Amino acid sequence: MIPFSPPRIDDKICNEVVAALKSGWITTGPRTKSFEKKITEYCGNKASLCLNSATAGLEIMLRWYGVGEGDEVILPAYTYSATANVIIHCGARPVFVDVNAHDFNINIKEVEKAITNETKVIMPVDFGGMPCDYEALNILVREQKNKFVAANEIQKKLGRILILSDSAHSFGASINNKKAGSLCDVSVFSFHAVKNLSTAEGGAIALNFEEPLFDNRTIYNHLCVKTLHGQNKDALAKTQKGNWKYDIVEAGYKCNMTDIAASIGLVELERYDSDTQVKRKHIIDLYQTLLKSDNRLELPLYETDGKKSSYHLYPLRIKNITEQQRDRIMQEIFDRDVSVNVHFIPVPGMSFYKKLGYNLQDYKTTYDNFSREISLPVFYDLSDEQIKTVVNAVIAALDKVC
Ligand SMILES: *Cc1c(COP(=O)(O)O)cnc(C)c1O
């Protein structure tokens, strides 16, 4: 069976994890701090905070901005539920909008139509690693300043809708050579086991607020406290001789990254551009070459007008099929010992969201993309031979069902 996306665990990773364990420092400490610095250097943003997940990072940033009851947050209908769940956690209302047919990303015209006086945040999602149209979004929130109603000091200072990017897929992606993390106010990366760069579980908030209006370092310091019980000293600071006293300055959360996770991240980041991304691009290029002559297929975009994907997913679409046919094709592919997936079952189609009154049929392109989508395996250890097996399985399944 060809798996869908197993993590890359080699001796280098194992050795660094063992080194972290033997160092005697296993929670947030020097390795996490070093990983944060390297993320900031790599992405070209202003400060980065590592956490135990992207989900925690998204929620923390909504709370930092003071998002709560009566507020609206705009997001694409076509995303993983985590993007929407954190809005619910804060007591705000998710406002789903439809996506583009070409790149699966949030449709800017739909965003513009959805903005009201209650809109506090827009959460674009870089689907499959392809960056959204941040230039248009950055202009849009500035043009719409007069609609924005600030409810606290931070909102007054920014004076507009916050762009909080769900960059769970897009670490390493770029627009005109500017990397994800530096394309809008805040971006949140995921280092979950299936993501391009993994720390088993993990995530990072990439702060990129305009200076000197905001001091990103000060926000970073505040977020460190907010994500560790609201405690004004972290464990490392408390180990300094005699430095045992601490205070709780707010009812904080608990979602810090461990140094064990960071040790994996440091290895992965070091070889990300020179190795991981070269391999992932090779896999996707080979799929494109092998599939492009089959006119039943619609191949994904991953390099266009200055944008470069992080090569996270290979979201293939089949032309003119129904959702039921797609499911049958997937079963045929599985029967040929190849694992495939669908990214994603759109959030408004989920039971919880249906009960809140959302309806997937209101998002035509989202539904159309979803109903015809099959994601093919992409992972570091996938060989050319296996890629050919995947392609043959897809073609055979199509021949059988269509
Ligand atoms: C994986 C994923 C998340 C959640 O990431 P975690 O690190 O598991 O919290 C959020 N949004 C999208 C689009 C994802 O694919």
Side-chain angles (χ1 to χ4, degrees):
M1 188 87 194
I2 297 177
F4 183 71
S5 81
R8 180 186 182 191
I9 306 293
D10 59 3
D11 285 346
K12 210 162 174 190
I13 297 277
C14 296
N15 292 340
E16 282 306 309
V17 169
V18 169
L21 291 169
K22 287 187 173 168
S23 76
W25 197 266
I26 55 175
T27 182
T28 313
R31 283 179 170 80
T32 304
K33 299 295 160 188
S34 160
F35 188 35
E36 288 175 343
K37 276 208 192 77
K38 289 186 173 166
I39 289 170
T40 306
E41 279 166 26
Y42 181 86
C43 298
N45 62 306
K46 300 189 176 102
S48 311
L49 176 76
C50 283
L51 295 175
N52 63 5
S53 74
T55 306
L58 291 169
E59 178 164 341
I60 286 292
M61 287 317 297
L62 290 177
R63 294 198 184 271
W64 172 84
Y65 203 52
V67 172
E69 215 157 306
D71 293 334
E72 293 177 357
V73 178
I74 298 173
L75 76 166
Y78 206 51
T79 182
Y80 182 61
S81 343
T83 326
N85 288 350
V86 294
I87 302 168
I88 301 280
H89 294 173
C90 294
R93 197 164 80 83
V95 176
F96 296 105
V97 299
D98 210 351
V99 297
N100 301 319
H102 62 283
D103 63 2
F104 296 81
N105 279 338
I106 197 162
N107 183 303
I108 309 297
K109 287 209 178 75
E110 296 298 321
V111 172
E112 190 170 353
K113 279 194 258 171
I115 293 174
T116 71
N117 296 126
E118 271 83 52
T119 310
K120 288 291 192 288
V121 180
I122 299 171
M123 292 170 80
V125 178
D126 298 336
F127 180 90
M130 195 63 177
C132 295
D133 195 349
Y134 288 101
E135 198 180 88
L137 282 169
N138 286 329
I139 292 171
L140 183 64
V141 291
R142 285 164 177 87
E143 276 174 0
Q144 301 273 336
K145 266 185 162 186
N146 56 334
K147 271 198 198 163
F148 185 73
V149 184
N152 60 39
E153 287 309 310
I154 296 176
Q155 293 180 8
K156 240 179 245 164
K157 199 153 131 183
L158 189 64
R160 58 167 170 82
I161 297 168
L162 171 77
I163 302 181
L164 170 59
S165 165
D166 179 338
S167 300
H169 297 180
S170 56
F171 190 85
S174 61
I175 303 182
N176 299 324
N177 296 317
K178 257 178 97 170
K179 288 244 162 60
S182 63
L183 299 170
C184 61
D185 301 321
V186 194
S187 308
V188 179
F189 299 118
S190 172
F191 306 135
H192 175 269
V194 301
K195 301 291 165 36
N196 274 24
L197 192 160
S198 175
T199 60
E201 291 280 2
I205 297 173
L207 298 170
N208 194 44
F209 286 100
E210 242 172 84
E211 306 216 5
L213 180 62
F214 284 93
D215 178 24
N216 289 276
R217 208 61 216 168
T218 305
I219 301 173
Y220 169 88
N221 289 334
H222 176 201
L223 292 176
C224 283
V225 172
K226 206 175 184 60
T227 53
L228 195 78
H229 309 292
Q231 186 173 301
N232 65 350
K233 262 177 217 167
D234 65 15
L236 198 63
K238 281 167 67 187
T239 59
Q240 309 292 309
K241 201 170 169 181
N243 198 25
W244 61 274
K245 261 194 191 161
Y246 63 91
D247 191 17
I248 297 296
V249 295
E250 65 177 86
Y253 299 85
K254 180 60 165 61
C255 46
N256 52 310
M257 177 177 274
T258 70
D259 263 26
I260 302 172
S263 72
I264 305 176
L266 283 165
V267 174
E268 288 291 15
L269 184 53
E270 179 86 40
R271 64 193 184 189
Y272 195 64
D273 275 359
S274 60
D275 188 5
T276 310
Q277 292 298 71
V278 174
K279 183 62 193 280
R280 298 187 80 96
K281 178 171 158 50
H282 167 78
I283 292 167
I284 289 180
D285 282 339
L286 189 52
Y287 276 138
Q288 278 320 75
T289 306
L290 296 173
L291 292 169
K292 69 168 182 256
S293 59
D294 193 322
N295 57 22
R296 293 171 294 185
L297 303 174
E298 199 176 330
L299 307 187
L301 289 178
Y302 57 104
E303 279 166 2
T304 136
D305 52 308
K307 285 185 188 169
K308 253 193 208 157
S309 167
S310 64
Y311 319 110
H312 178 51
L313 297 176
Y314 190 80
L316 185 65
R317 277 171 290 182
I318 323 290
K319 292 177 189 162
N320 305 312
I321 56 161
T322 63
E323 186 183 342
Q324 291 70 30
Q325 282 174 309
R326 188 273 314 277
D327 293 352
R328 293 221 303 281
I329 294 166
M330 285 182 74
Q331 191 53 54
E332 291 292 334
I333 297 173
F334 273 109
D335 289 347
R336 287 165 177 79
D337 285 335
V338 172
S339 304
V340 284
N341 233 315
V342 171
H343 291 88
F344 298 97
I345 304 174
V347 190
M350 298 295 184
S351 304
F352 176 80
Y353 289 90
K354 280 200 276 198
K355 267 185 245 154
L356 291 180
Y358 297 100
N359 182 354
L360 181 49
Q361 299 308 322
D362 294 340
Y363 313 92
K364 298 278 179 259
T365 309
T366 294
Y367 181 74
D368 180 60
N369 281 346
F370 154 72
S371 63
R372 302 186 294 109
E373 200 267 356
I374 301 175
S375 298
L376 305 187
V378 182
F379 57 92
Y380 185 83
D381 294 311
L382 189 65
S383 69
D384 288 3
E385 216 42 56
Q386 286 175 309
I387 292 171
K388 284 172 197 155
T389 306
V390 173
V391 166
N392 291 336
V394 170
I395 303 291
L398 276 174
D399 289 344
K400 186 142 181 211
V401 175
C402 301

